[in-house]
Amino acid sequence: MSIHEVFMPALSSTMTEGKIVSWVKSPGDKVEKGETVVVVESDKADMDVETFYEGFLAHIIVEAGETAPVGSAIAFIAETEAEIEQAKSLANSSGVAATPTSSPQTVAATAAVATPALTSQNGSNHKEGRLVVSPRARKLAKELKVDLTTLQGSGPYGRIVAEDVEALSNKGKQPATAPVVPPVPVSTSAPVAPPAPRTPAPATVVAAVPGQIVPLTTFQNAVVRNMVATISVPVFRVGYTITTDGLDKLYKQIKSKGVTMTALLAKAVALTLQKHPLLNASYSDQGIVYHSDINISVAVAMDDGGLITPVLQNADAVDIYSLSRTWKSLVERARAKQLQPQEYNSGTFTLSNLGMFGVDKFDAILPPGQGSILAIGASRPQVVATPDGLFGVRQQMQVNITSDHRIIYGAHAAAFLQDLAKLIETNPQSLTM
């Protein structure tokens, strides 16, 4: 008998449990090695999960919408149709869904731990002649009665995506095949083009009812764990007032070209960090970790609860127009829960901006694994004394930095803020160079 358990995979370093978004395969369906069988919501994103085994999906232990700890069995795969009933009996008799274990036992086989099918991994998972289809495309093909074997996918490595199915259904012809391009190594001087987002299912928002207890979402639980993890870190905070007249003028000039204020602020911070590498560093038991790249995380609130920090990688080296396009794509895919791990866990410095809500100033909580986070308030007109002894009105914003006091001291943070203010106030045009 060859029956394999499929386990809830760890899709990120902080993930302790996952939620089943949808099963791509139904019980009794044939599955191939490396084929997507289920979509899992981790603490950061929705990801396709593949199986290491070929056979039949015999029994689903954790249904769509349910949650299971990392490492617990979520399904059985039988190598032959004759073993499907045996797998069902095994599931019913062993009660595997109730008690996940850190070292799951399998029957006459090694456990098949499902792995995330990331865009960057499609090359290594791709097998010539195998049909690679996104979950949404497969569902759409069933609804529109489109034969997937007649399609050539436009996704990475020929993966069939929903747009391919729609194109064939609407136009009655096969979409053009995208060229097969091998993965490109990440450069420290140029941004990597992000994968195209797939259209997500509408987010489920639970309406709050007085007197009712609403369970935390997977995202919210991840935020809780991260915030609790920061309690043991000694931090200090420093505030600074920055005049933004020049920055605001520049923003108005280039806004029509797609430039966002978030990208401008991230660029300003990244350029300043070039002069202050300690503020871009982080603490470890071995000492101070000086990061080779300047990757700016920016906090984004999720529509259905939780918080995520998409990362503008190499923000100091990327031009402001590319940076803005990247940021727009990151936000869209973050809210669609389609970010890849390196797009949310590679940050070296974080920005948290509540200025759009009219907040004057606030203190941000230091993210685990980073040395500093900058809280940005709203830019407001203020009456100030000018150098010639008169009064004038200037646009000013309050920023507050929270830093890890184990490696960064008050003078370090103050010098960083001073240089940041100098760049924004006297040379904002440098952000476009």
Side-chain angles (χ1 to χ4, degrees), residues 5 8 59 63 86 105 113 168 182 312 336 352 376 381 397 427:
E5 290 177 290
M8 177 64 73
H59 180 71
E63 298 290 346
Q86 292 173 307
Q105 301 296 315
V113 182
L168 183 62
L312 288 166
S352 182
I376 302 174
M397 69 180 181
N427 193 22

Side-chain angles (χ1 to χ4, degrees), residues 28-39:
D29 285 355
K30 183 77 168 64
V31 296
E32 296 182 15
K33 181 179 179 180
E35 186 177 14
T36 298
V37 294
V38 64
V39 180

Side-chain angles (χ1 to χ4, degrees), residues 50-392:
E50 299 179 350
T51 176
F52 282 158
Y53 285 93
E54 183 174 341
F56 297 85
L57 182 60
H59 180 71
I60 292 174
I61 301 169
V62 182
E63 298 290 346
E66 296 180 354
T67 300
V70 168
S72 62
I74 59 175
F76 279 115
I77 289 180
E79 290 191 3
T80 65
E81 284 187 275
E83 294 169 327
I84 291 178
E85 290 303 319
Q86 292 173 307
K88 292 179 180 179
S89 300
L90 177 65
N92 293 332
S93 62
S94 62
V96 288
T99 312
T101 172
S102 58
S103 56
Q105 301 296 315
T106 61
V107 180
T110 303
V113 182
T115 56
L118 307 182
T119 301
S120 62
Q121 296 174 330
N122 280 343
S124 60
N125 287 336
H126 177 69
K127 182 171 66 179
E128 192 66 32
R130 179 167 67 85
L131 197 65
V132 185
V133 188
S134 76
R136 184 168 178 270
R138 192 178 296 277
K139 179 179 179 182
L140 195 61
K142 288 182 180 179
E143 294 174 353
L144 299 178
K145 294 181 172 53
V146 171
D147 184 359
L148 290 172
T149 61
T150 65
L151 287 173
Q152 289 181 308
S154 61
Y157 295 93
R159 188 186 197 209
I160 298 174
V161 295
E163 288 75 11
D164 299 327
V165 178
E166 292 170 344
L168 183 62
S169 176
N170 294 336
K171 299 179 182 179
K173 61 181 180 180
Q174 183 171 298
T177 304
V180 176
V181 183
V184 180
V186 176
S187 167
T188 57
S189 60
V192 177
R198 77 180 177 211
T199 305
T204 301
V205 180
V206 179
V209 178
Q212 181 185 18
I213 297 177
V214 179
L216 295 177
T217 65
T218 308
F219 272 38
Q220 290 169 325
N221 275 317
V223 172
V224 170
R225 290 192 298 271
N226 285 339
M227 295 303 98
V228 171
T230 66
I231 294 177
S232 61
V233 178
V235 299
F236 71 96
R237 300 172 178 86
V238 179
Y240 210 94
T241 301
I242 299 178
T243 299
T244 63
D245 291 296
L247 182 67
D248 294 337
K249 182 179 179 181
L250 173 65
Y251 176 58
K252 290 179 181 177
Q253 291 173 348
I254 61 180
K255 180 181 179 181
S256 61
K257 298 180 181 180
V259 174
T260 66
M261 180 58 76
T262 295
L264 283 170
L265 292 170
K267 182 75 171 180
V269 167
L271 291 177
T272 307
L273 286 172
Q274 289 180 335
K275 301 179 181 179
H276 300 271
L278 182 60
L279 273 291
N280 192 54
S282 59
Y283 171 86
S284 76
D285 292 337
Q286 290 72 42
I288 302 174
V289 180
Y290 286 93
H291 301 288
S292 57
D293 298 328
I294 297 176
N295 298 336
I296 306 299
S297 303
V298 185
V300 174
M302 302 296 288
D303 295 333
D304 58 345
L307 185 73
I308 195 167
T309 51
V311 179
L312 288 166
Q313 298 183 0
N314 304 297
D316 59 321
V318 179
D319 69 87
I320 193 64
Y321 304 102
S322 298
L323 204 64
S324 295
R325 289 192 295 271
T326 299
W327 177 243
K328 181 180 178 182
S329 173
L330 285 170
V331 171
E332 289 176 350
R333 288 183 291 114
R335 288 182 171 151
K337 295 191 288 187
Q338 295 303 319
L339 290 180
Q340 301 303 312
Q342 71 273 14
E343 294 176 316
Y344 59 74
N345 64 12
S346 59
T348 58
F349 187 104
T350 296
L351 297 184
S352 182
N353 185 4
L354 292 179
M356 70 286 291
F357 297 105
V359 173
D360 292 319
K361 60 181 180 180
F362 66 102
D363 292 325
I365 298 176
L366 183 68
Q370 293 188 16
S372 296
I373 180 172
L374 186 68
I376 302 174
S379 180
R380 298 185 182 281
Q382 303 287 344
V383 177
V384 300
T386 62
D388 54 8
L390 301 176
F391 289 101

